[in-house]
Amino acid sequence: MAEIYHAKDLRSGNTFLRNGNIYMVLENSFNKTAMREGIVKCKCKNLRTGSITIEVLTGEKLEKANVETTKMTFSYDDGNNFVFMDNETYETIEIPKSKMQWEKNFLNENTEVRVQKYGEEILGVQLPDQVVCEVADAEEAVQGNTVQSVQKKAWISSGYEIQVPQFIKKGDKVIINTLTGEYSGRENK
């Protein structure tokens, strides 16, 4: 028998089925007023499409989705798919590029990820919170500009554009937050 969640008991990280979709709770809030049933608002990620929505759940019972995660390492890009290898069994799987529109920006060889599966269906990958990427190209620093927060454009090897401090140059390794896609720091040499 399927495990059931009451909407008010949902917590960050829980996965559930609703209207044929598989959702993972990112954030939730519960609002109870005197004469009404409590209202639960959940910021959820649809694990099939990758879209993020706000789901309003009032007194609903939801079926738990048993999403399995497996540690895997990114091996290579075969043109149409990204190939990952299981860290324990050395088996490989292919995930179509179309399922990884955001994640592809931050994949480097040997990046360790968590592959999410629902039954035999591969839902996608969960990146580490931060990754180190090499700057493939960067704009020139503006001479004489001494304002502390001046930023310039730089591109990492995947072609993804980020804003970085003036001192970053081509060849530097930068730390990028994979949730926001923003510069977090420079890797110490």
Side-chain angles (χ1 to χ4, degrees):
M1 187 170 159
E3 203 174 325
I4 301 292
Y5 288 122
H6 290 280
K8 66 180 181 173
D9 296 329
L10 287 173
R11 300 290 176 257
S12 183
N14 290 153
T15 54
F16 64 91
L17 300 169
R18 184 173 193 226
N19 301 328
N21 291 306
I22 303 169
Y23 292 99
M24 181 169 74
V25 177
L26 301 175
E27 297 173 7
N28 66 326
S29 65
F30 181 70
N31 187 7
K32 175 84 169 114
T33 57
M35 299 295 287
R36 297 179 59 203
E37 193 169 5
I39 297 172
V40 178
K41 287 185 181 179
C42 290
K43 182 177 180 180
C44 299
K45 180 176 182 180
N46 184 323
L47 295 179
R48 286 192 169 127
T49 65
S51 64
I52 295 180
T53 58
I54 302 293
E55 297 292 318
V56 179
L57 313 165
T58 305
E60 288 187 48
K61 292 182 180 179
L62 304 158
E63 184 179 340
K64 179 180 180 178
N66 291 318
V67 175
E68 295 177 22
T69 60
T70 307
K71 277 188 183 180
M72 297 187 118
T73 303
F74 173 62
S75 295
Y76 61 93
D77 173 353
D78 75 2
N80 297 319
N81 304 296
F82 293 113
V83 180
F84 295 87
M85 182 180 69
D86 187 302
N87 294 345
E88 293 178 14
T89 65
Y90 304 109
E91 292 178 31
T92 59
I93 62 164
E94 296 176 351
I95 300 178
K97 286 184 174 183
S98 61
K99 280 195 159 204
M100 298 186 53
Q101 292 302 306
W102 175 253
E103 295 86 349
K104 71 181 180 185
N105 294 315
F106 311 109
L107 284 177
N108 296 314
E109 191 174 316
N110 297 322
T111 299
E112 194 171 275
V113 300
R114 293 186 176 276
V115 175
Q116 299 171 314
K117 292 182 183 180
Y118 179 69
E120 293 299 311
E121 178 185 1
I122 295 173
L123 299 171
V125 300
Q126 206 174 1
L127 293 167
D129 291 340
Q130 296 183 328
V131 293
V132 175
C133 296
E134 185 171 333
V135 175
D137 197 14
E139 291 181 335
E140 291 296 319
V142 177
Q143 293 298 322
N145 197 338
T146 58
V147 177
Q148 288 286 50
S149 62
V150 173
Q151 303 269 300
K152 66 179 184 179
K153 293 179 185 175
W155 296 266
I156 58 176
S157 53
S158 68
Y160 183 75
E161 181 183 304
I162 58 173
Q163 293 291 316
V164 297
Q166 292 282 328
F167 60 83
I168 299 294
K169 58 189 181 306
K170 181 178 179 177
D172 284 350
K173 294 196 181 220
V174 293
I175 301 167
I176 300 174
N177 179 320
T178 59
L179 298 173
T180 63
E182 296 175 352
Y183 169 86
S184 292
R186 181 169 62 171
E187 183 181 57
N188 296 329
K189 295 178 182 181

